[in-house]
Amino acid sequence: WRQSLGEGRRVSLGYSHLEADNDVTLTGLSATRRVYSAFGAYLVTLAPGITVGAEVLFGERELESGESGSLSRFTFSTKYSF
């Protein structure tokens, strides 16, 4: 989802989810059972051709064995279009 806020500002949001019904006799216990992620980003065009932004992302993955892990990430970006 992307929403313009006017004056060269915009917000993007996203969510992803996957859940698999694996036959562990065929895939083993290291196959992914469930995974999801969500992010939010804010971008600003400072001048023609110059955009800066920041994004935060969270995610989690669970294996058929029950092991799980999580991800948190913050990203800063700069784009120059010529």
Side-chain angles (χ1 to χ4, degrees):
W1 175 76
R2 178 178 164 177
Q3 176 67 46
S4 176
L5 302 174
E7 300 177 11
R9 298 174 297 132
R10 63 186 181 273
V11 173
S12 295
L13 300 173
Y15 177 78
S16 173
H17 180 91
L18 169 78
E19 197 157 335
D21 184 17
N22 297 308
D23 182 347
V24 294
T25 59
L26 299 173
T27 63
L29 294 176
S30 63
T32 298
R33 175 188 298 168
R34 181 180 306 123
V35 63
Y36 80 89
S37 64
F39 77 90
Y42 179 75
L43 294 107
V44 179
T45 300
L46 299 176
I50 300 175
T51 302
V52 296
E55 176 185 68
V56 63
L57 177 132
F58 301 101
E60 188 170 305
R61 178 182 177 202
E62 181 183 350
L63 303 180
E64 287 293 344
S65 66
E67 292 182 76
S68 64
S70 61
L71 166 74
S72 299
R73 180 177 72 194
F74 180 78
T75 306
F76 177 77
S77 65
T78 303
K79 181 176 92 170
Y80 176 67
S81 300
F82 51 93

